[in-house]
Amino acid sequence: MEFQNRNLGIPKFKSPLQLSTVRGDKIFNFVGEEEKFVFDLSNDNYTQCLEKGVEPLCLEKAGPRQDLFFDPSNTTAAIVTCGGLCPGINNVIRGIVMALHYFYGIKRILGVPYGYEGLNPAMGHGFVDLTPNKVKDIHLFGGTFLGSSRGAQDVSLMVNTLAENKIDILFAIGGDGTLKGVDAIGEEIAKQGLDIGVVGIPKTIDNDIDIIDKSFGFETSFDVAGSILRDAHNEAAGAYNGIAIIKLMGRDSGFIAASAALAMPVVNLVLIPEMEFHLEGPNGFFEVLEQRLSEKRHAVIVVAEGAGQHLFEKKDVVKDASGNVQHQDIGLFLKDRIKEHFKDTSVTIKYIDPSYIIRSAPANSSDSVYCSRLAYHAVHGAMAGKTRFVVSKVNNQYVYVPISQVTQKRKKIDLESEFWFSVLQSTGQPFHLG
């Protein structure tokens, strides 16, 4: 891994923030470029570094710098939101606008409508002027104030749009595809020799962005899902051999399904993309479900949308506009197979898919705090001239990480981790299904 962030050039302007450079005066200090956090906190890594006489791999601490690359009196910033909806997008938009305006005195802030489409003049979306008054209440609502879209646009065209509109900084709020896109924009900017900074704020409801602790909106997602699981349990328990199946988001990673099951411990089986399971055979899904019904007369099953794809007949791979594989519907598949399996037994099956309700929910208190702090740190890094980075928490510290490092692979649940073991302890399901 390489955690060295790119910079547009030497900072030449003094920050307008009235912060301190002295410890102990009870005023927050500017963050120095030398301030870093160790990435691997394990004792093994510590020992190896000592034995080899090398410095450990470190991450750059996020926060306000004393010296800025951009002149606040002559800077234009733009914000774009891409991909699927996620709780907290409006909170981040609001936080960026407020920080730019009130911290740095930047007056020209543009909103890019409907994702990267908004940087293609041919789409005719134009720009939205963002002011504190315009965004002051948007955090109360879910969705995105600016609108979103999936799919790529011509990179050179988007860079030309930024340059022609004298945009100095682009803040891109989105997941894996969005971050790859803004990194490509940054690469093209460098090729053209332009002084335009690009910043990513990682947004994916699935929490599958590598390296970082969590993406915003994730906590709200399993918070909202928790009440749905509670109600689904009530439905299942209210019928003889009642079975509730709840499909939650999670294309490649099962963090929402697993976390929701822990948060609302009424779930008996959790199926996630990281695990391979079988329906038939000894200790298979059906056998475990039969045992549960014989003991308690009801069962709650949570399945992530990307789970069990190996159970379907092989078909040509179809991808959406963002390049994500479109999975077959495991929820309806399970409902039909369970119904078929128990055709000679009296069962009541309830199937629930609350995905879009969860996606469009407003951020809860925890995510609201996280979104504001991400926004502030993103602005501080951008004003200092840092580019092609994401701001997030790693090891519970706010840091700047090169986009290229977080987009190399998707984060997944380690089936040997204590986290997954906690899920199994909560549900009572075996380590392997079949």
Side-chain angles (χ1 to χ4, degrees):
M1 295 185 188
E2 177 55 58
F3 291 145
Q4 183 65 43
N5 287 302
R6 292 179 171 88
N7 292 278
L8 293 173
I10 299 173
K12 298 178 180 178
F13 302 95
K14 290 299 179 183
S15 173
L17 301 180
Q18 300 299 306
L19 302 181
S20 176
T21 57
V22 179
R23 300 290 178 185
D25 60 2
K26 299 183 180 179
I27 299 175
F28 186 72
N29 287 351
F30 285 110
V31 175
E33 291 297 308
E34 75 285 352
E35 296 187 54
K36 300 178 184 297
F37 295 110
V38 175
F39 174 61
D40 185 346
L41 301 180
S42 69
N43 186 62
D44 284 346
N45 180 63
Y46 173 72
T47 302
Q48 289 176 19
C49 289
L50 281 180
E51 291 175 348
K52 296 178 181 178
V54 297
E55 290 188 2
L57 187 62
C58 291
L59 294 156
E60 186 176 356
K61 183 178 179 179
R65 268 49 176 180
Q66 188 172 19
D67 298 314
L68 307 181
F69 180 80
F70 290 108
D71 177 3
S73 65
N74 190 32
T75 296
T76 296
I79 306 171
V80 64
T81 62
C82 308
L85 297 183
C86 174
I89 299 175
N90 283 338
N91 300 66
V92 176
I93 296 171
R94 183 186 188 278
I96 292 172
V97 172
M98 296 302 187
L100 288 169
H101 183 92
Y102 289 113
F103 300 174
Y104 290 99
I106 292 173
K107 297 299 187 287
R108 188 169 183 248
I109 308 168
L110 304 177
V112 182
Y114 303 111
Y116 286 139
E117 280 187 11
L119 292 175
N120 181 352
M123 302 302 295
H125 296 319
F127 292 111
V128 177
D129 288 320
L130 299 178
T131 63
N133 190 56
K134 189 170 287 187
V135 303
K136 63 183 175 64
D137 295 324
I138 63 174
H139 63 293
L140 301 175
F141 304 95
T144 165
F145 173 74
L146 293 174
S148 186
S149 67
R150 293 188 183 276
Q153 299 292 323
D154 181 83
V155 175
S156 296
L157 182 64
M158 291 192 287
V159 171
N160 291 341
T161 300
L162 295 174
E164 289 169 4
N165 288 275
K166 294 181 169 48
I167 294 170
D168 301 293
I169 304 169
L170 176 66
F171 296 93
I173 304 169
D176 184 75
T178 302
L179 297 178
K180 288 178 179 177
V182 76
D183 199 36
I185 291 173
E187 185 177 6
E188 179 63 23
I189 287 170
K191 286 180 181 178
Q192 295 189 24
L194 302 173
D195 288 337
I196 302 174
V198 294
V199 183
I201 296 95
K203 172 228 66 160
T204 167
I205 203 167
D206 293 349
N207 195 40
D208 60 358
I209 295 179
D210 197 30
I211 296 176
I212 69 175
D213 290 355
K214 65 177 179 178
S215 50
F216 76 81
F218 168 62
E219 284 199 10
T220 302
S221 68
F222 71 80
D223 184 8
V224 175
S227 61
I228 295 170
L229 299 188
R230 178 199 62 209
D231 296 342
H233 172 261
N234 294 338
E235 280 284 351
Y240 180 79
N241 284 343
I243 302 172
I245 307 168
I246 306 94
K247 186 178 77 171
L248 297 177
M249 295 77 64
R251 262 195 217 97
D252 303 297
S253 307
F255 288 104
I256 293 179
S259 298
L262 275 175
M264 184 59 65
V266 296
V267 180
N268 310 115
L269 285 160
V270 178
L271 307 175
I272 59 174
E274 291 87 344
M275 64 186 289
E276 185 168 307
F277 62 93
H278 300 283
L279 300 180
E280 312 282 354
N283 210 42
F285 174 81
F286 287 141
E287 183 177 287
V288 174
L289 181 57
E290 287 173 1
Q291 183 178 352
R292 168 69 192 181
L293 292 178
S294 69
E295 293 175 355
K296 299 295 184 180
R297 295 304 171 193
H298 70 277
V300 178
I301 303 162
V302 172
V303 56
E305 62 181 306
Q309 295 302 303
H310 60 284
L311 301 174
F312 293 92
E313 293 183 8
K314 294 293 183 183
K315 292 185 177 182
D316 292 337
V317 175
V318 178
K319 296 185 177 182
D320 63 19
S322 297
N324 301 304
V325 174
Q326 290 186 329
H327 292 314
Q328 299 189 64
D329 197 324
I330 184 62
L332 291 175
F333 175 85
L334 281 180
K335 178 186 176 183
D336 292 341
R337 289 299 304 272
I338 291 172
K339 183 177 180 180
E340 178 186 340
H341 180 81
F342 288 98
K343 62 181 182 294
D344 296 325
T345 304
S346 176
V347 296
T348 301
I349 304 173
K350 304 291 186 182
Y351 175 62
I352 304 167
D353 181 357
S355 299
Y356 291 103
I357 295 173
I358 295 173
R359 283 186 182 279
S360 58
N364 65 12
S365 297
S366 178
D367 262 326
S368 294
V369 171
Y370 189 39
C371 288
S372 293
R373 297 182 73 181
L374 287 175
Y376 300 160
H377 284 302
V379 168
H380 295 317
M383 290 301 295
K386 300 182 187 303
T387 188
R388 298 173 68 179
F389 71 92
V390 296
V391 57
S392 193
K393 287 172 81 173
V394 177
N395 298 327
N396 207 36
Q397 301 288 349
Y398 286 92
V399 294
Y400 299 137
V401 187
I403 292 175
S404 60
Q405 295 302 309
V406 301
T407 55
Q408 292 184 10
K409 61 186 177 71
R410 297 286 179 93
K411 181 170 68 174
K412 295 177 178 291
I413 293 176
D414 179 358
L415 297 183
E416 294 186 26
S417 66
E418 186 275 333
F419 172 68
W420 181 242
F421 180 49
S422 294
V423 175
L424 301 185
Q425 290 177 102
S426 176
T427 62
Q429 71 188 69
F431 285 100
H432 304 285
L433 293 174

